[in-house]
């Protein structure tokens, strides 16, 4: 019914996270109907991003400069490294505007099922960086999943011999979260992490 | 935090139906991480679609040929025209595989608030087509919304003087739908449209 060009475009858009079969068809129509204001600018923005954006050779962040703006900044605490799984996690931390150190993006997590080992995540590179740059604290901001925690545990063990403080993010009730929507694990962690109320 | 190129790409993707601020950032990362298998093919598919796909001069469908494949087909009933709001609706009807006539895509609906009048929808062009092509039935497959029904009513009035049957799609309980999730209007319509059970 629809043409090969439309089908191919919808098929590719459906591979984007958040778009399914139906929404990708709606997206194709939006792109074709708003060719001048949306479609063509999107093609230019994709070209621009593919031409300019690269992974930072130091931390794995995405930027148009290498080392990235964060690694190059002299205003950040260069003795603290926050280790996270994906660039998305780095962006989320930056949006929270409460961390001023450097990052290290692993690009994944250890996984027996997906056969992802320490060498795939460049953990040797992280170790070398920590030793070379006189890092004082490593924050393991990995997902609270089995693989995330396995990865955190592995890195913590590798760091055990070094003179560096290792921490992880606190677990608890998300701000704005309602208790009856939370899983037992989170509630148990939140209870253990309870804090004295000072009035 | 992220670069201008990434921000611009995320901003444009967020304009697509179905993608919000967060999912468009995830989409940017997917496109950058899977540049060869997803990003570059998407740019090519967009280019291809923009180069080739045009609105059919007869019915408003999108296709790489004009008149479109449906208008050009000799296997379709050329005396029946189904009038719908958007190309998406045409696609939905085609997926249902139970209509074999031609289409007319208005590209919108009459709306006092959005100042969309009959001339914006090319309703004169629809009238001319119905008269010139000896059309016997017009199916008004417009949305069951106020604007959709206003549009249907307007077109029905314009068609009143012509020797053409005018119908609309039946209202009722969607197949697979549960009664307690339906609004009163649908239930009232479904009751009025009740059909005798033959055992």
């Amino acid at each position: 019914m629809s043409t090969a060009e439309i089908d191919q475009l919808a098929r590719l858009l459906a591979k984007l996270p958040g778009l399914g079969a139906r929404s990708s068809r709606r997206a194709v129509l939006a792109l074709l109907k708003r060719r001048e204001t949306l479609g063509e600018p999107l093609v230019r923005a994709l070209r621009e991003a593919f031409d300019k954006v690269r992974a930072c050779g130091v931390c794995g962040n995405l930027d148009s400069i290498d080392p990235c703006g964060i690694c190059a900044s002299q205003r950040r605490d260069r003795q603290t490294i926050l280790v996270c799984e994906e660039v998305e996690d780095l962006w989320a931390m930056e949006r929270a505007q409460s961390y001023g150190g450097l990052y290290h993006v692993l690009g994944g997590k250890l996984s027996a099922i997906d056969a992802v080992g320490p060498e795939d995540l460049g953990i040797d590179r992280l170790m070398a960086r920590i030793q070379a740059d006189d890092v004082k604290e490593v924050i393991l901001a990995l997902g609270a999943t089995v693989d995330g925690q396995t990865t955190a545990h592995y890195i913590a063990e590798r760091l055990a011999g070094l003179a560096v403080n290792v921490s992880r993010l606190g677990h608890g009730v998300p701000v704005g979260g309602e208790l009856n929507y939370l899983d037992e694990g989170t509630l148990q962690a939140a209870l253990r992490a309870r804090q004295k109320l000072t009035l």
Side-chain angles (χ1 to χ4, degrees), chain A residues 74-153:
Chain A
Q74 290 306 319
R75 291 188 310 191
R76 303 194 66 120
D77 169 9
R78 310 188 66 80
Q79 300 198 303
T80 307
I81 290 181
L82 184 144
V83 179
C84 58
E85 291 168 20
E86 302 288 351
V87 174
E88 240 177 314
D89 304 327
L90 183 160
W91 290 355
M93 286 303 304
E94 287 296 288
R95 281 199 301 281
Q97 297 190 325
S98 60
Y99 176 69
L102 304 182
Y103 290 93
H104 199 91
V105 179
L106 297 174
K109 48 198 167 185
L110 296 177
S111 167
I113 290 174
D114 298 331
V116 179
E119 62 292 344
D120 299 307
L121 302 181
I123 289 178
D124 283 341
R125 201 162 52 83
L126 169 62
M127 293 302 145
R129 192 182 160 197
I130 290 167
Q131 290 174 282
D133 293 355
D134 193 26
V135 170
K136 297 276 183 266
E137 181 173 6
V138 173
I139 303 171
L140 299 172
L142 297 153
T145 59
V146 171
D147 286 344
Q149 293 308 299
T150 304
T151 310
H153 192 253

Side-chain angles (χ1 to χ4, degrees), chain A residues 38-48:
Chain A
L38 180 58
E40 297 288 356
L42 180 63
V43 170
R44 283 194 297 272
L46 284 163
R47 272 266 67 84
E48 192 84 350

